[in-house]
Amino acid sequence: MAVPKRRVSSARRDKRRSNVWKMEAPELQKCPNCGEYKRAHRVCPACGMYNGRQVLSKKEEA
């Protein structure tokens, strides 16, 4: 049967349970052109603008 040979110290246990290493949700910013939320330093998926320039052209629905 798997039984720990020695007791795990509280420091080691708390270090393992800490939230330092866990992932966080990405920070979102508002696009200055359209106001949609987007990730920083990336092209806006709604309008296709990046750094004040039109990078992606969006197809208009007819």
Side-chain angles (χ1 to χ4, degrees):
M1 218 170 144
V3 178
K5 193 154 195 134
R6 287 179 176 68
R7 180 180 176 183
V8 176
S9 68
S10 59
R12 185 174 288 265
R13 179 199 65 209
D14 294 344
K15 195 181 343 179
R16 184 181 67 242
R17 292 180 181 176
S18 73
N19 289 320
V20 173
W21 58 274
K22 294 181 181 173
M23 288 183 68
E24 297 176 356
E27 296 291 327
L28 298 176
Q29 297 175 343
K30 279 194 171 185
C31 174
N33 187 44
C34 66
E36 289 284 327
Y37 284 103
K38 68 176 190 74
R39 292 182 64 184
H41 307 289
R42 284 166 177 81
V43 177
C44 178
C47 65
M49 296 284 286
Y50 178 74
N51 202 16
R53 297 184 319 210
Q54 185 72 32
V55 179
L56 295 176
S57 60
K58 287 293 192 178
K59 295 180 180 177
E60 306 253 347
E61 295 180 16

